């Protein structure tokens, strides 16, 4: 049972007073709200000492668990030589080499401080390349916090007519509202016809190859690749989640579809602020400052912390771990076992639910038919989803609001405890809604 100390209660109250985003625990139950004390491997502890098996993993980065020894060693060894220089450094160059080695579309690389920056710069480069402004994204996809990305993402209500975009937050300039076009994910015919109809206005198409927890239908990504290539419209893969999580080549390696640009970050960040943009040389070269002197179309890319040596050396250490045989096999094995345990618990409870995604990132939906995109997922009862997360949290299993992130360091004991928690939570939920 969770025991909350006065010290932790005071910290939570202070967080609520200071931060409009508060503690960021997405729970219906204030008693489950917590403040992190520490994290190690696949576990996280709150300030009161309650322990949780962690499937939030900092919103995805910790594919090898919290405080991995290789990350700690890289952090300590590089920091002595200075933490940030703006000017390029050996660690950043080595990271660039590794990105080009592993990510199929990568011919050149730029390093940033977040995934949101990487997607933002990808869209800007596409605009310069195409000399056009509009970006097509898919309904329900999340590409970060920049103004173009906060349109028709996973928090979109209703069913606005395609390709109209709706802003997901106040504060986005009105002038941008019609600069983003929306298509349904996993519906190749609909998406291809929107792209074809708007080809003369489009700067680029951005897609999460695995959108949230919806795997691409066979042929969908290749079809989007073909139609964009046909009109010379840059295709941007947002691999902020899938990059180095689905394998060294990310989703593009797994599905065999090569985009023109790719944004990635989380899995090689070790939890440090890192975003990576990579792609075709002729498009990436648009950021070369020499072009300004040559009066060529140019897009400036800078940031005080870009190419940061600490982030780069942590990323290098993690890539070295990912390159070891067995790392991705274990990740896949853990995910497969947890997903099977979840499916078995659903079947055993008799509750109407299904599981989407891929072994290392997936979700439960409380509906009869398996959702494949944003609109079909609305058949799911969102209340049950949050309640299920709370019932798991009560048993010491932490998940993200809308997905499970798996690590390669979850143990068989973790999996066993998690599956037991699934059974208890689903039985309780079934009773509550009966
Ligand atoms: C697919 C995707 N793109 C972009 C982002 C934004 O990345 P960051 O939070 O590092 O800005 C996220 C973050 O969750 C993401 O899931």
């Amino acid at each position: 049972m969770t025991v909350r100390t006065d010290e932790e209660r005071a910290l939570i109250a202070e967080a609520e007073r200071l931060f409009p985003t508060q503690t960021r625990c997405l729970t219906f139950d204030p008693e489950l709200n917590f403040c992190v004390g520490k994290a190690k491997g696949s576990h996280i502890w709150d300030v009161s000492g309650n322990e949780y098996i962690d499937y939030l993993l900092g919103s995805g980065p910790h594919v090898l668990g919290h405080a991995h020894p290789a990350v700690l060693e890289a952090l300590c060894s590089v920091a002595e030589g200075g933490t940030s220089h703006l000017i390029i450094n050996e660690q950043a160059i080595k990271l660039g080499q590794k990105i080009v080695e592993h990510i199929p579309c990568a011919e050149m690389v730029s390093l940033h401080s977040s995934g949101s920056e990487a997607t933002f710069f990808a869209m800007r480069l596409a605009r310069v390349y195409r000399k056009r402004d509009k970006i097509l994204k898919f309904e329900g996809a999340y590409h970060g916090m920049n103004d173009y990305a906060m349109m028709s993402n996973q928090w979109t209500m209703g069913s606005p007519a395609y390709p109209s975009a709706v802003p997901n937050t106040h504060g986005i300039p009105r002038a941008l509202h019609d600069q983003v076009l929306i298509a349904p994910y996993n519906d190749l015919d609909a998406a291809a016809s929107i792209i074809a109809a708007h080809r003369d206005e489009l700067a680029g198409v951005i897609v999460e190859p695995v959108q949230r927890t919806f795997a691409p239908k066979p042929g969908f990504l290749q079809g989007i690749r073909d139609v964009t290539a046909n009109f010379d419209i840059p295709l941007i893969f947002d691999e902020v989640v899938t990059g180095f999580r689905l394998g060294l080549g990310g989703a593009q390696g797994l599905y065999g579809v090569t985009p023109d640009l790719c944004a990635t970050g989380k899995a090689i960040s070790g939890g440090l602020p890192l975003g990576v943009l990579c792609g075709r040389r002729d498009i990436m070269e648009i950021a070369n400052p020499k072009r300004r002197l040559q009066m060529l179309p140019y897009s400036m890319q800078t940031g005080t912390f870009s190419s940061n040596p600490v982030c780069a050396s942590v990323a290098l250490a993690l890539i070295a771990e990912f390159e070891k045989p067995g790392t991705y096999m274990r990740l896949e094995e853990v995910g497969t076992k947890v997903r099977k345990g979840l499916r078995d618990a659903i079947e055993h409870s008799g509750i109407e639910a299904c599981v989407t995604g891929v072994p290392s990132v997936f979700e439960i939906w409380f509906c009869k038919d398996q959702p494949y995109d944003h609109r079909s997922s609305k058949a799911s009862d969102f209340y049950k989803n949050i309640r299920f997360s709370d019932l798991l949290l009560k048993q010491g299993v932490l998940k993200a609001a809308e997905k499970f992130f798996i690590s390669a360091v979850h143990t068989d004991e973790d999996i066993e405890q998690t599956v037991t928690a699934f059974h208890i939570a689903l039985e309780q939920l079934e009773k509550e809604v009966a």
Side-chain angles (χ1 to χ4, degrees), residues 63-64 95 97-106 239 241-255 262 264-265 267-268 278 315-329 331-332:
V63 175
L64 299 183
L95 176 57
Q97 288 171 331
K98 278 290 171 192
I99 299 287
V100 170
E101 180 186 335
H102 288 307
I103 299 186
C105 77
E239 297 226 42
V241 167
T242 52
F244 290 93
R245 178 173 270 281
L246 299 197
L248 288 166
Q252 54 194 277
L254 183 69
Y255 296 111
C262 166
T264 186
I268 53 168
C278 57
L316 282 167
L318 281 168
I319 293 171
E321 295 296 317
F322 291 139
E323 286 169 342
K324 289 182 183 165
T327 305
Y328 285 113
M329 265 166 60
L331 185 63
E332 178 104 359

Side-chain angles (χ1 to χ4, degrees), residues 40 64 66-74:
K40 179 79 190 153
L64 299 183
H66 295 275
H68 189 281
V71 170
L72 300 184
E73 200 189 307

Side-chain angles (χ1 to χ4, degrees), residues 67 98 120 189 224 238 312 315-316 319 382 418:
K98 278 290 171 192
F120 172 78
D189 288 347
I224 298 297
D238 179 348
L316 282 167
I319 293 171
F382 190 60
T418 303

Side-chain angles (χ1 to χ4, degrees), residues 59 113-117 119 142-145 208 212 238-241 266 274 403:
S59 193
S113 305
S114 68
S116 298
E117 273 180 47
T119 58
Y142 180 65
H143 302 298
M145 277 288 138
E208 283 184 85
R212 309 286 75 204
D238 179 348
E239 297 226 42
V240 171
V241 167
K266 291 189 193 231
L274 176 70
K403 58 174 87 85

Side-chain angles (χ1 to χ4, degrees), residues 256-274:
V257 177
T258 306
D260 300 298
L261 293 171
C262 166
T264 186
K266 291 189 193 231
I268 53 168
S269 71
L272 273 76
L274 176 70

Side-chain angles (χ1 to χ4, degrees), residues 51-62:
E51 184 173 353
Y52 309 87
I53 304 169
D54 189 3
Y55 296 100
L56 170 60
L57 297 172
S59 193
H62 304 296

